[in-house]
Each structure stands twice: as C-alpha cells, then as structure tokens.
Amino acid sequence: MEMLKPLHVLHDSLNKPVLVSMKGGKEYRGVLDGYDQHMNLVLKNAEEIINSEPKGVYNVVIVRGDNVIYISPP
Amino acid sequence: MEMLKPLHVLHDSLNKPVLVSMKGGKEYRGVLDGYDQHMNLVLKNAEEIINSEPKGVYNVVIVRGDNVIYISPP
Amino acid sequence: MEMLKPLHVLHDSLNKPVLVSMKGGKEYRGVLDGYDQHMNLVLKNAEEIINSEPKGVYNVVIVRGDNVIYISPP
Amino acid sequence: MEMLKPLHVLHDSLNKPVLVSMKGGKEYRGVLDGYDQHMNLVLKNAEEIINSEPKGVYNVVIVRGDNVIYISPP
Amino acid sequence: MEMLKPLHVLHDSLNKPVLVSMKGGKEYRGVLDGYDQHMNLVLKNAEEIINSEPKGVYNVVIVRGDNVIYISPP
Amino acid sequence: MEMLKPLHVLHDSLNKPVLVSMKGGKEYRGVLDGYDQHMNLVLKNAEEIINSEPKGVYNVVIVRGDNVIYISPP
Amino acid sequence: MEMLKPLHVLHDSLNKPVLVSMKGGKEYRGVLDGYDQHMNLVLKNAEEIINSEPKGVYNVVIVRGDNVIYISPP
C-alpha cells in the first residue's frame, strides 16, 4: 500500500491549502482542487511566489507535473 | 474524478481566454481553441509576452505541452 | 474532438507557410510538408532565423519535435 | 532478486529517517512514509536543507522522483 | 500519409548527403546510411563541424536521435 | 546476447566495489548491492566524491539511474 | 532494413575499438564489449578523455546510453 502513498497523500489534500515548489524557483500556495497520475495539479486561489516575493494571485492554475519539485500539504 | 481534474479544467476553458506560462520566460495570452492529453494547446489571437513585454500577436499558435509550466483560465 | 485539435490544426496547415519556434532561439519559416504525432515536422523552402537574423535557406528540413516550442500557421 | 533491490531497500526504510538529495542542491531529512515505482516519496517531519543550511521543516512533503539524485537510509 | 512524412523523407535520403544539426552546436555532414524510428542515424564519411569550423572526418558515425535538432537532405 | 551485456556486467559486479560517475560532477565508490533495469543502484559503504574530494560515507545509498553517466566495476 | 541500421552497425563493431562522445564534453576510447537497445554500452580498456586530455583508463565501463551523443566505429 505504501506503493500508492504519494497519490494517496495528494488525494487527502484535496480542498486543503498546499505549497507547490517548482523548478526554476517559483512557488504556488493555493487550495488543491485536483490532480492526476503525472502530478499535474489544479490549484484555486493560487498565490505565485518568485524568490520569496508574492507576484500575483490566480483564481485557477493548472500546473504541469513535469515542473513540480515537491508538494507540501498543511 | 479528481484524477481527471486537470484535463476537465482545460476542457471547461475552451473558447475562453487563458494565460500560458512557458519554460524560458515566455507567456501567451489567447483564446483556448483545443488541447490534448500531453497539454499541447491551440491558442487563437495569441499575444506573445517575453519578460512582461508584448512581442507580437499570432492568429493561431500550436504550443507543445512539453514547454508549458502552467495554464491559468480566467 | 478538441482532444485532437493540435494535430488537426497541423493537418490543416499542410502545404501552407508556418513559423516554427525552437528551443535555443532558432526559428524556421517554411511550407509544412508533413508531420507526425511527435510533432516531428518536414518543412520545404525553410528559412533559418537565429536571433531575428536570417541565416540560410534549406530545400527540405526534418525538424525533431522534441525541440519545437510552438508552430504558428498563417 | 537484485533486480528489485532498489525498491526493496526503499521498502525496508519505511518509517525510518532518510536523507534525500535533490537536483539543484536541495536536501531533505525526514521519515519515509511512502514511495512508488517512480521514486516519488512521502516524507514526514522533513527538514529542507539548501547548500548545507536548514531552511525549514514540513509536516509532510511529497517529493517528485524525477528530482531525486539519491536516497540514503540510516 | 503526411503522418509518416518525416520518416519517409529520411528514407528517401538514404545514400545521399545530409546535414545534421545537433544540440550543443555541433553539425555533421555525411552520407545517410541508415536510421530508425528514434531518428538515430548512421552517417558515412561524416565531417564534424563545431561553430562552423571543420573538426575532423569519421568513416562511420552512429548519432543518437535524442541530440538531433534537424536533418536537411540535399 | 550482447544486447543484454550492460545488465550482465552489472550483475557480475554484485558485491564488488564499483565507481559510479553522476551528472553534476559527483562520484560514488562503494559495493554494488543491487540494481534494476533503469540502472537504479544500491551501494553499500559508499564514499561520496565531489570534484575529486571525499565528502562523506553512507552505509547505504539508493542512486537514481537517471543521474548515472557510467559505472565502472573493478 | 535501414530501420535497424543503427543497432546493426553497433553489432558489427563488437570487439572493435570505438570512440564514444558524451554530453558534457567527455569521450571514451575503448573496445565495444556489448550494448543494448537504449545504446547503453560496455567498453573494455576504456580511456577517458575530457576536453581532449586523457584522464585515466578503466578495465570496464558501463556507459548509460542517455548520455551518448555519437559512437564512431573504426
């Protein structure tokens, strides 16, 4: 069962705030609204943070999993 | 159902304006005209923005999903 | 049907001039003569443009899809 | 049997502290809570270390295997 | 049929001189002796060109398709 | 049979010291304890070497094959 | 048959000296002892050459195909 753990933890994070760290130094803080097996993510009310500075807020962002380094649930 | 969410959100964005952020600092703002499971996108009336400066407008652009960081529907 | 849109738009661009933007700053302007599902492309009478400067013309170029950022039909 | 060894060693490390070294110079020290065949990992009580300096602690982190260089169990 | 065009054009280039442009700035000019579906290539009498300067000639070179940007038949 | 040679040579190196050269300039010297078809490796008593300088020793390291350049058995 | 040519040429090079050019500027000169379909290679008596300077000799090296740019048989 631990073999499915990464997606299970994503599942348990649905509708909760998460921090997503991306390649290239970007971060997003938002509510996890969906995901798929590639770790493509849908975030709601997502704040974009570049080098620790807030850059803007998006109602909805579809993040390509390819660029994700880690996801931290609350 | 959340496992399909990223493509569902793309589907719901058809014929609406989206912002597409690309690896290498390019952005496109245009109307989403189509997509596939690799997140290859077709944009209409797409404005190319490099480092926050508008660089030109394309009637149609086929963007390779490989280069997409995120897509933000309106 | 929108799921097939990117390849459909390529299909509709056959025998028409396209602009192909590549990773690393190269561009090609030529007539689309063929393509496959990886977005490998065949261009005829293709002008190579590096950093906005024309560098030469090729009768035929087979471009590996891997390097394509976007394709813009006329 | 040695062909399955890398995942077996991960399995034996469940609920134990591990050091995870990432592309780009980040490290995580935390308790391994799960993994999958892509080496996506779930860490608990994970300390983030950048260039040998501690940067913060996360209750839970889902690390994308793509970015992992090595994992060292205790 | 245009879906197979890139490999068809390669096929028609067998035993003819081609120019192969590689990631990292290398080029090869040689006679195409073979290829596969990954665009791995075999070139005969291949001249290596780095930043427009000839660097040497190889009787036979097996080029990994992964590194190919484009192939231009005569 | 030569088609299986790379994994055979790995197999024959089990329980023997190997040198593993990694992308980014790291090396590991340790005893090969396991491997899989992706060239994920398990090393025991592994010394980490960065730019020719020893940096530490790990009882066990699971190295992701993705980062391996070459493996040299004794 | 030309579709299989790259691996055929590798096969014909078994037990012969080859030059292997790698991403990152490394080269190996050695006797080809084996290969697989990913172009993973086994070299015997392999001399490592970095920026045209010999750096050492390995009895056996397993090179991951991922890093190969080209292979030149004698």
Side-chain angles (χ1 to χ4, degrees):
Chain A
M1 185 176 136
E2 289 80 6
M3 282 293 283
L4 296 172
K5 193 77 185 224
L7 291 183
H8 283 176
V9 175
L10 269 182
H11 190 81
D12 290 345
S13 303
L14 282 167
N15 302 312
K16 295 180 188 158
V18 294
L19 170 66
V20 181
S21 173
M22 309 278 287
K23 293 180 191 172
K26 285 185 183 171
E27 289 181 336
Y28 294 92
R29 287 180 186 278
V31 173
L32 186 65
D33 194 40
Y35 66 93
D36 65 21
Q37 79 278 14
H38 306 294
M39 289 204 191
N40 297 321
L41 306 174
V42 181
L43 300 177
K44 286 191 301 193
N45 303 322
E47 189 180 24
E48 188 177 40
I49 301 162
I50 304 183
N51 298 324
S52 307
E53 274 188 51
K55 291 288 176 183
V57 176
Y58 299 100
N59 286 341
V60 180
V61 174
I62 305 162
V63 172
R64 211 164 176 267
D66 195 23
N67 305 290
V68 170
I69 296 178
Y70 68 79
I71 304 154
S72 182
Chain B
M1 184 175 137
E2 289 80 6
M3 281 293 284
L4 296 172
K5 194 75 186 227
L7 291 184
H8 283 176
V9 175
L10 269 182
H11 191 82
D12 291 344
S13 303
L14 282 167
N15 301 314
K16 295 180 188 160
V18 294
L19 170 67
V20 181
S21 172
M22 308 278 288
K23 292 179 191 171
K26 285 185 182 171
E27 289 181 336
Y28 294 91
R29 288 180 185 279
V31 174
L32 186 64
D33 195 40
Y35 66 94
D36 64 21
Q37 79 279 14
H38 305 295
M39 288 205 191
N40 296 322
L41 306 175
V42 181
L43 301 177
K44 286 191 300 192
N45 302 323
E47 189 179 24
E48 188 177 40
I49 301 162
I50 304 182
N51 298 323
S52 308
E53 273 188 52
K55 291 289 175 181
V57 176
Y58 300 99
N59 286 341
V60 179
V61 174
I62 305 162
V63 172
R64 210 163 176 269
D66 194 24
N67 305 290
V68 170
I69 297 178
Y70 68 80
I71 304 154
S72 182
Chain C
M1 185 174 137
E2 288 80 6
M3 281 293 283
L4 297 172
K5 194 75 185 228
L7 291 184
H8 283 175
V9 175
L10 268 183
H11 191 81
D12 291 346
S13 303
L14 281 167
N15 301 314
K16 294 179 188 161
V18 294
L19 170 67
V20 180
S21 173
M22 309 280 287
K23 293 179 189 170
K26 285 185 183 170
E27 289 181 336
Y28 295 91
R29 289 180 185 277
V31 174
L32 186 64
D33 194 41
Y35 65 94
D36 65 22
Q37 79 278 15
H38 305 294
M39 288 206 192
N40 297 323
L41 305 174
V42 181
L43 301 177
K44 286 190 301 192
N45 302 322
E47 189 180 23
E48 188 177 39
I49 301 161
I50 304 182
N51 298 323
S52 307
E53 273 188 53
K55 290 289 176 182
V57 176
Y58 299 99
N59 285 340
V60 179
V61 175
I62 304 162
V63 173
R64 211 162 176 269
D66 194 24
N67 304 290
V68 170
I69 296 178
Y70 68 80
I71 304 155
S72 182
Chain D
M1 183 176 138
E2 288 79 7
M3 282 294 283
L4 296 172
K5 192 78 184 225
L7 292 183
H8 283 177
V9 175
L10 269 181
H11 191 81
D12 291 345
S13 303
L14 282 166
N15 301 314
K16 295 180 188 160
V18 294
L19 170 67
V20 181
S21 173
M22 308 278 287
K23 293 180 191 172
K26 284 184 183 170
E27 289 181 334
Y28 294 91
R29 288 180 186 277
V31 173
L32 186 65
D33 194 40
Y35 66 92
D36 65 21
Q37 78 279 15
H38 305 295
M39 288 204 192
N40 296 321
L41 306 174
V42 180
L43 301 177
K44 286 191 300 193
N45 303 323
E47 188 179 25
E48 188 177 40
I49 301 162
I50 304 183
N51 298 324
S52 307
E53 274 188 51
K55 290 290 176 182
V57 176
Y58 299 100
N59 285 341
V60 180
V61 175
I62 305 162
V63 172
R64 211 166 176 267
D66 195 23
N67 304 292
V68 171
I69 297 179
Y70 69 80
I71 303 153
S72 182
Chain E
M1 185 174 136
E2 288 80 6
M3 282 293 282
L4 297 172
K5 194 74 185 230
L7 291 184
H8 282 176
V9 174
L10 268 183
H11 190 80
D12 291 345
S13 303
L14 282 168
N15 302 314
K16 294 179 189 162
V18 294
L19 170 66
V20 180
S21 173
M22 309 279 289
K23 293 180 190 171
K26 284 185 184 171
E27 288 181 336
Y28 294 90
R29 289 180 186 277
V31 173
L32 185 65
D33 194 41
Y35 65 94
D36 65 21
Q37 79 278 14
H38 305 295
M39 288 205 193
N40 296 324
L41 305 174
V42 181
L43 300 177
K44 285 190 301 191
N45 302 322
E47 189 179 24
E48 188 177 39
I49 300 162
I50 304 182
N51 299 323
S52 306
E53 273 188 52
K55 290 290 175 182
V57 176
Y58 299 100
N59 286 340
V60 179
V61 175
I62 304 163
V63 173
R64 212 165 175 266
D66 195 25
N67 304 290
V68 170
I69 297 178
Y70 68 80
I71 303 155
S72 182
Chain F
M1 184 175 138
E2 289 79 6
M3 281 294 281
L4 296 172
K5 193 76 185 228
L7 291 183
H8 282 176
V9 175
L10 269 181
H11 191 81
D12 290 346
S13 304
L14 282 167
N15 301 314
K16 295 179 189 161
V18 294
L19 169 68
V20 180
S21 172
M22 309 279 288
K23 293 180 190 172
K26 284 184 185 172
E27 288 181 335
Y28 294 92
R29 289 181 185 276
V31 173
L32 186 65
D33 194 40
Y35 66 93
D36 65 21
Q37 78 279 14
H38 305 295
M39 287 203 194
N40 297 322
L41 306 174
V42 180
L43 300 178
K44 287 190 299 193
N45 302 323
E47 188 179 25
E48 188 178 39
I49 301 162
I50 304 183
N51 298 324
S52 308
E53 273 188 52
K55 290 289 176 183
V57 176
Y58 299 100
N59 285 341
V60 180
V61 174
I62 305 162
V63 172
R64 211 163 175 268
D66 195 23
N67 305 291
V68 171
I69 297 178
Y70 69 81
I71 303 154
S72 182
Chain G
M1 186 175 137
E2 289 79 8
M3 282 293 282
L4 297 172
K5 193 74 185 231
L7 291 184
H8 282 176
V9 175
L10 269 182
H11 191 81
D12 291 345
S13 303
L14 282 167
N15 302 314
K16 294 179 190 162
V18 294
L19 170 67
V20 180
S21 173
M22 309 279 289
K23 294 180 190 171
K26 284 186 185 172
E27 288 181 335
Y28 294 92
R29 289 180 185 277
V31 174
L32 186 64
D33 194 40
Y35 66 93
D36 65 20
Q37 80 278 15
H38 305 295
M39 288 204 194
N40 297 323
L41 305 175
V42 181
L43 301 178
K44 286 190 300 192
N45 302 322
E47 189 179 24
E48 188 177 39
I49 300 162
I50 303 182
N51 298 324
S52 306
E53 273 188 53
K55 290 290 175 184
V57 176
Y58 300 100
N59 285 340
V60 179
V61 175
I62 304 163
V63 172
R64 212 164 174 267
D66 196 24
N67 304 291
V68 171
I69 297 179
Y70 69 79
I71 303 154
S72 183

